[in-house]
Amino acid sequence: MDNNTKRNEPWREELRKSIKNKERADKSRVHMRELPADYRNKNNEEVNCGLTKEEALNEAKRCLDCPAPSCTNGCPVGIDIPQFIKNIERGEILEAAKIIKQTSALPAVCSRVCPQEKQCEAECIYAQKMGKEAVAIGYLERFAADYERESGQMAVPECAPSNGIKVAAVGSGPAGLAFASDMAKRGYSVTVFEALHEIGGVLKYGIPEFRLPNSIIDVEIEMLKKLGVEIVTNCIVGKTITFEDLQAQGYKALFVGSGAGLPRFMHIPGENLIGVMSSNEYLTRINLMGALRDGDTPVLSGKNVAIIGGGNTAMDAVRTAKRLGAEHAMIVYRRSEAEMPARVEEIKHAKEEGVEFMPLHNPIEYIGDEKGRVKQMRLQKMELGEPDASGRRSPVEIPGAIETIDVDTVIVSIGVSPNPLVPSSIKDLEVSKWGTITVNDGMQSSIPTIFAGGDIVRGGATVILAMGDGRRAAAAMDEYLKSC
Amino acid sequence: MNRILKKEHFSPNVLHFEVEAPQIAKTRKAGHFVLVKVGEKGERIPLTIAASDPVKGSISLVVQRVGVSSAKLCDLNEGDYITDLVGPLGKATHIENYGTVVCAGGGVGVAPLLPIVEAMKKAGNRVITVLAARSKDLVILEEQMRANSDEVIVMTDDGSYGKQGLVTAGIEEVLLREKVDMCVTVGPAIMMKFVALLTKKYNVPTMASLNTIMVDGTGMCGACRITVGGKIKFVCVDGPEFDAHEVDFDEMQMRLSSYKEIETEAMKHYIETAAI
Ligand SMILES: Cc1cc2nc3c(=O)[nH]c(=O)nc-3n(C[C@H](O)[C@H](O)[C@H](O)COP(=O)(O)OP(=O)(O)OC[C@H]3O[C@@H](n4cnc5c(N)ncnc54)[C@H](O)[C@@H]3O)c2cc1C
Ligand SMILES: Cc1cc2nc3c(=O)[nH]c(=O)nc-3n(C[C@H](O)[C@H](O)[C@H](O)COP(=O)(O)OP(=O)(O)OC[C@H]3O[C@@H](n4cnc5c(N)ncnc54)[C@H](O)[C@@H]3O)c2cc1C
Ligand code: SF4
Ligand code: SF4
Ligand code: FES
């Protein structure tokens, strides 16, 4: 059934007519309940509390069920948004969840971490043409996914009969998990190899629990196991086991979803002082290794913590620092707040939690004490100049405007480069000058049996794009293997 | 997997483990290391693969008890399982026939030196090994080193065994006596620093194997970073071996002390609770 025939189903027509569009449009957007800022900034509980069924049904009524819904164009995996929202409106929540899952492998995750205001919600007619707040698509998606999970009636997707063909995924981030799920549904025997001792990639070691609880990822992983996917942790493809080994073991094709991993540094004086670290190190010690909770791994997190950068990772790090007791948790960013790449909600939450923002500042030097621990940083003040290649106005130094502030912990969060482990261990695999794996539209690399997707192909991207890549690669690999 | 097949003491605080790890045993080379985690909430610590038996599917680790995480490993017994074990990591040592090679190890560095000594010997080098320790009872792996070296010089700080003096005195003795083509050194940062200063004076190319703090061991976090020739390098993926004449050992030593206070506290706590 294509979208239009579905839209013309009697129940949906009736639902549309039941409330006038004017009345729908006059409703104001739901506000999701959040834990109070001065409570949540001391613990790891999820900040966003989700919608009640009543709130969700009400918000669903705002959606106009547009004949040519522009919102779906904004979703990288093309979820049939009005179809799932109208099912919520009529109370068929499990049906709504099923519709989302037709195109998204991890709805409970994406609805929590997608930058909706730049994607689906940006394209909603409310935002585009009516000058109003978009339908809360992300909240509704989360409601449907959570409802299904909590109902205990999570549908195990149907699998095609086993075809006995072995394929492998490298990495268990969103790209690898989405790939594995789709291939299992197509009847393949799938093994996921993960370098770390935990499954989930950035979802586990990067994004903190106050934004994405681990229990939610674990449910998705359980689901994969129910589909028959085998997961091998502590196994580094290219080191523990080579591509040739995998071939010899009968794997017919490989999907590389090894992510971006290598943290960038600024190469300024004092950057190797004690207390200066990458956001990957900081977040990994805390999220993956349980530092300061129940783990043996220590972490340095002081009273004056500066995070360098303005992306999601920077916001996660700064909000974590606040939770670990920082008196001053600061975002130091070289452009202005308008240029920050982080999700709008993350910036808002950080501010509510007492995070200080220092836009238009750029560190130029760190100064240490006699033991080598960072104690101060020198900041160059900036102003905005002409737009650069990315279309953002580029920061320019204000000559002589330098200030020194006290810090005892600095977290450098200025981006990551693609993990070279896999590319460098496979002969003849084509990579770009940035080190990302080169692929065609079907995510196929220069070696026909190797596909790739997610951050290892895109550099730093998003969960939903990584997941979409995994799914596209699965479809293309299936085609390819059938044609061999 | 990860089952401890054999455990023995080399000295009161240095243990030798043979661990089941068939895949790693097959692919590992001299210079490679593994990351080991004991318990669900354990810390990931790097340990050099001292030897392997691909037929038996096992690897050997030589572990010195220094803090909580190494102690937790040392307290495991034959038949126990190491919760997580991943590897082989790092770049393999560049082994070739250089001619005469001096291998100098001290403290925690002696264990990681053993596979290098073995490989250098196998490649046809004349291998002179200098082992340094504070006193006689801290000298480890002497027998294994002798089996793979043309000569072993033992140095102790207090002169209780071998010759009295620091590792550098042992190396200089060789440098004064004969032409040395390559030096490899593994040990505490301060020791490697002085070895590097010495061999620089004699113009002997020198490799140092660095034992920085690590978390993931795959290049993802940067905890292991150091400065080599003015550039940032990650020991876990770019190393662990580097040109000793280019390494900033002072910085490395400083970075190694990052968690000193926390570690000392944790060890006190571990000993107290273990005693109960
Ligand atoms: C702190 C943080 C916050 C973020 N917040 C958001 C957000 O709010 N919204 C959003 O959309 N995106 C966010 N992102 C970005 C998003 O998480 C990534 O784009 C996404 O996770 C990429 O997925 P991936 O599957 O390509 O790789 P990853 O999630 O990086 O997973 C790769 C996995 O592969 C493993 N691996 C690597 N090499 C090997 C090997 N050789 N063998 C075996 N395994 C290997 C790694 O250990 C890792 O587990 C955030 C990122 C970070 C770091
Ligand atoms: C590539 C590599 C290979 C290694 N191979 C071996 C090996 O084969 N056998 C072995 O016993 N150890 C080896 N180490 C060192 C080992 O990883 C550390 O001893 C261990 O991490 C200490 O953890 P801990 O919690 O027990 O001690 P901690 O509580 O972390 O430290 C206690 C004290 O020990 C000292 N210390 C801590 N870390 C190191 C270190 N990395 N090097 C030297 N001293 C340290 C410090 O004085 C510290 O205060 C290696 C390290 C690296 C990076
Ligand atoms: S997956 Fe992301 S972009 Fe797509 S509808 Fe859901 S929240 Fe919007
Ligand atoms: S554009 Fe907005 S109103 Fe229209 S279908 Fe999509 S969500 Fe509903
Ligand atoms: S240990 Fe994390 S980058 Fe080397």
Side-chain angles (χ1 to χ4, degrees):
Chain A
M1 248 196 295
D2 69 23
N3 284 356
N4 253 329
T5 16
K6 274 194 251 160
R7 189 171 180 271
N8 293 335
E9 278 182 273
W11 69 265
R12 218 163 131 181
E13 283 189 25
E14 208 171 293
L15 200 63
R16 264 199 308 277
K17 285 190 201 131
S18 67
I19 305 173
K20 286 201 183 69
N21 269 359
K22 164 106 181 38
E23 200 180 314
R24 291 181 187 273
D26 279 345
K27 289 178 181 288
S28 53
R29 180 179 156 120
V30 66
H31 284 284
M32 188 180 282
R33 253 176 334 110
E34 295 166 356
L35 297 177
D38 62 349
Y39 165 80
R40 70 184 193 232
N41 68 9
K42 295 171 191 68
N43 60 46
N44 227 4
E45 290 172 40
E46 189 176 14
V47 169
N48 284 335
C49 305
L51 299 181
T52 62
K53 190 166 178 184
E54 195 190 339
E55 286 169 333
L57 262 52
N58 246 323
E59 180 66 18
K61 288 184 185 145
R62 289 183 71 219
C63 169
L64 304 178
D65 198 4
C66 302
S70 47
C71 52
T72 49
N73 302 333
C75 173
V77 295
I79 289 180
D80 188 344
I81 293 169
Q83 169 83 350
F84 96 74
I85 293 184
K86 290 302 116 179
N87 267 295
I88 294 181
E89 185 180 338
R90 70 160 168 161
E92 294 290 340
I93 320 289
L94 292 176
E95 185 61 26
K98 213 188 259 170
I99 289 154
I100 300 168
K101 283 214 274 193
Q102 281 166 4
T103 40
S104 166
L106 305 165
V109 174
C110 294
S111 57
R112 284 172 166 81
V113 302
C114 264
Q116 286 98 1
E117 74 276 3
K118 291 185 192 137
Q119 298 181 355
C120 50
E121 294 181 15
E123 301 296 325
C124 172
I125 192 165
Y126 277 79
Q128 284 282 320
K129 301 238 167 83
M130 294 154 65
K132 293 188 176 184
E133 281 188 288
V135 173
I137 302 168
Y139 290 175
L140 290 171
E141 183 178 330
R142 170 175 162 175
F143 171 75
D146 286 357
Y147 184 94
E148 188 201 29
R149 188 181 61 254
E150 284 155 16
S151 73
Q153 300 178 51
M154 257 175 107
V156 180
E158 273 169 50
C159 282
S162 165
N163 61 18
I165 302 174
K166 279 167 76 174
V167 296
V170 182
S172 65
L177 294 180
F179 166 84
S181 141
D182 272 23
M183 286 309 263
K185 287 182 212 160
R186 288 185 162 88
Y188 290 86
S189 306
V190 191
T191 310
V192 178
F193 295 95
E194 169 55 52
L196 293 171
H197 58 272
E198 272 268 7
I199 307 161
V202 170
L203 306 181
K204 275 276 174 66
Y205 76 70
I207 303 179
E209 291 222 61
F210 58 79
R211 209 146 70 76
L212 179 64
N214 282 345
S215 57
I216 285 170
I217 310 156
D218 290 338
V219 170
E220 302 292 346
I221 293 165
E222 276 314 305
M223 188 60 85
L224 271 189
K225 290 186 181 157
K226 279 191 195 141
L227 289 175
V229 172
E230 201 188 321
I231 301 180
V232 181
T233 52
N234 290 320
C235 184
I236 306 174
V237 175
K239 287 275 184 190
T240 316
I241 192 166
T242 63
F243 177 51
E244 289 76 22
D245 290 335
L246 290 174
Q247 279 176 321
Q249 289 178 16
Y251 290 95
K252 294 291 179 230
L254 189 69
F255 173 75
V256 181
S258 54
L262 306 198
R264 293 203 199 108
F265 287 94
M266 291 172 71
H267 305 279
I268 57 174
E271 211 170 20
N272 287 351
L273 286 169
I274 299 171
V276 182
M277 68 194 107
S278 73
S279 46
N280 269 4
E281 178 179 352
Y282 187 67
L283 292 170
T284 301
R285 282 179 181 274
I286 294 162
N287 296 335
L288 183 73
M289 304 309 300
L292 292 179
R293 288 202 302 277
D294 46 4
D296 290 344
T297 306
V299 73
L300 294 174
S301 193
K303 295 285 169 223
N304 296 311
V305 186
I307 283 78
I308 317 301
N312 284 320
T313 316
M315 294 308 147
D316 284 342
V318 81
R319 295 173 68 196
T320 300
K322 192 79 202 171
R323 281 163 173 74
L324 293 181
E327 280 158 23
H328 298 282
M330 301 166 262
I331 286 283
V332 175
Y333 183 58
R334 65 194 180 115
R335 301 176 198 248
S336 80
E337 203 180 303
E339 283 84 24
M340 283 190 186
R343 296 175 74 216
V344 170
E345 185 178 60
E346 261 38 89
I347 298 175
K348 173 180 155 271
H349 281 164
K351 285 194 171 163
E352 289 167 0
E353 288 164 12
V355 167
E356 295 154 46
F357 280 67
M358 298 184 74
L360 294 168
H361 282 77
N362 200 30
I364 50 173
E365 185 185 358
Y366 303 107
I367 300 161
D369 65 14
E370 66 289 350
K371 285 185 180 157
R373 174 92 188 237
V374 64
K375 64 168 186 186
Q376 284 179 321
M377 68 195 283
R378 291 190 352 116
L379 296 170
Q380 166 71 57
K381 290 194 188 174
M382 316 291 280
E383 60 188 350
L384 288 182
E386 294 301 309
D388 67 5
S390 71
R392 295 182 299 180
R393 291 179 64 193
S394 55
V396 192
E397 291 175 8
I398 305 173
I402 292 174
E403 66 178 297
T404 303
I405 63 166
D406 289 347
V407 286
D408 49 30
T409 310
V410 174
I411 293 150
V412 184
S413 185
I414 56 165
V416 284
S417 317
N419 192 329
L421 250 170
V422 176
S424 67
S425 67
I426 301 177
K427 221 175 104 240
D428 299 332
L429 184 68
E430 208 178 286
V431 292
S432 73
K433 66 175 182 214
W434 298 279
T436 52
I437 298 179
T438 317
V439 292
N440 66 17
D441 288 344
M443 311 312 290
Q444 191 174 29
S445 76
S446 58
I447 299 173
T449 53
I450 299 184
F451 294 69
D455 283 0
I456 189 67
V457 163
R458 297 172 181 271
T462 58
V463 173
I464 186 81
L465 285 170
M467 210 196 72
D469 285 355
R471 303 204 62 196
R472 221 146 13 107
M477 188 188 285
D478 182 37
E479 282 293 308
Y480 172 79
L481 289 174
K482 277 183 182 148
S483 71
C484 290
Chain B
M1 271 210 294
N2 307 354
R3 196 158 69 96
I4 297 175
L5 304 173
K6 204 168 126 198
K7 172 185 177 179
E8 61 183 326
H9 280 269
F10 278 164
S11 77
N13 280 323
V14 180
L15 285 93
H16 170 244
F17 288 99
E18 202 182 316
V19 185
E20 186 182 25
Q23 194 64 44
I24 302 174
K26 217 162 52 186
T27 46
R28 80 101 197 180
K29 294 197 176 68
H32 279 150
F33 61 95
V34 289
L35 277 169
V36 167
K37 176 171 151 290
V38 178
E40 279 315 314
K41 304 292 173 183
E43 188 179 15
R44 294 164 67 96
I45 60 165
L47 296 168
T48 303
I49 305 168
S52 69
D53 185 338
V55 180
K56 208 167 155 193
S58 67
I59 58 169
S60 291
L61 304 173
V62 178
V63 192
Q64 180 161 7
R65 179 196 286 264
V66 291
V68 172
S69 304
S70 50
K72 280 192 176 172
L73 176 60
C74 290
D75 290 345
L76 293 181
N77 292 310
E78 279 175 17
D80 289 346
Y81 290 82
I82 297 178
T83 320
D84 293 289
L85 175 73
V86 61
L89 296 163
K91 289 201 172 115
T93 309
H94 185 78
I95 300 286
E96 61 173 66
N97 191 343
Y98 294 97
T100 301
V101 180
V102 169
C103 296
V108 265
V110 178
L113 190 63
L114 179 63
I116 301 175
V117 167
E118 278 174 353
M120 286 291 185
K121 185 69 207 157
K122 219 182 252 165
N125 290 286
R126 173 174 149 74
V127 178
I128 304 167
T129 301
V130 183
L131 289 183
R134 273 197 310 266
S135 62
K136 180 171 196 260
D137 48 329
L138 296 175
V139 176
I140 55 162
L141 298 180
E142 186 187 345
E143 197 184 311
Q144 289 88 337
M145 293 291 186
R146 284 201 190 277
N148 292 285
S149 313
D150 294 273
E151 183 186 346
V152 173
I153 301 172
V154 179
M155 305 293 301
T156 49
D157 290 6
D158 60 2
S160 54
Y161 185 59
K163 294 179 182 157
Q164 185 184 0
L166 298 173
V167 74
T168 39
I171 300 170
E172 193 155 27
E173 174 191 322
V174 182
L175 295 176
L176 286 169
R177 167 184 94 191
E178 61 185 291
K179 181 174 175 303
V180 173
D181 303 288
M182 172 59 85
C183 176
V184 184
T185 181
V186 196
I190 184 86
M191 176 197 120
M192 292 190 280
K193 173 184 167 175
F194 284 105
V195 171
L197 287 172
L198 175 75
T199 58
K200 180 130 197 182
K201 204 168 79 186
Y202 287 86
N203 263 325
V204 177
T206 301
M207 286 191 289
S209 180
L210 308 185
N211 45 10
T212 50
I213 294 173
M214 293 188 179
V215 182
D216 61 300
T218 62
M220 187 265 278
C221 76
C224 62
R225 70 191 187 279
I226 45 144
T227 306
V228 182
K231 295 207 177 70
I232 292 188
K233 296 278 175 191
F234 288 5
V235 172
C236 67
V237 284
D238 300 323
E241 273 148 36
F242 296 93
D243 178 349
H245 297 151
E246 298 284 328
V247 174
D248 183 342
F249 286 108
D250 292 333
E251 180 189 88
M252 178 186 156
Q253 191 175 10
M254 176 194 84
R255 288 185 59 77
L256 267 176
S257 72
S258 295
Y259 296 98
K260 206 167 189 100
E261 283 154 34
I262 307 178
E263 284 156 358
T264 317
E265 266 311 298
M267 193 60 190
K268 250 172 45 201
H269 181 74
Y270 180 71
I271 293 170
E272 280 162 14
T273 44
I276 293 167

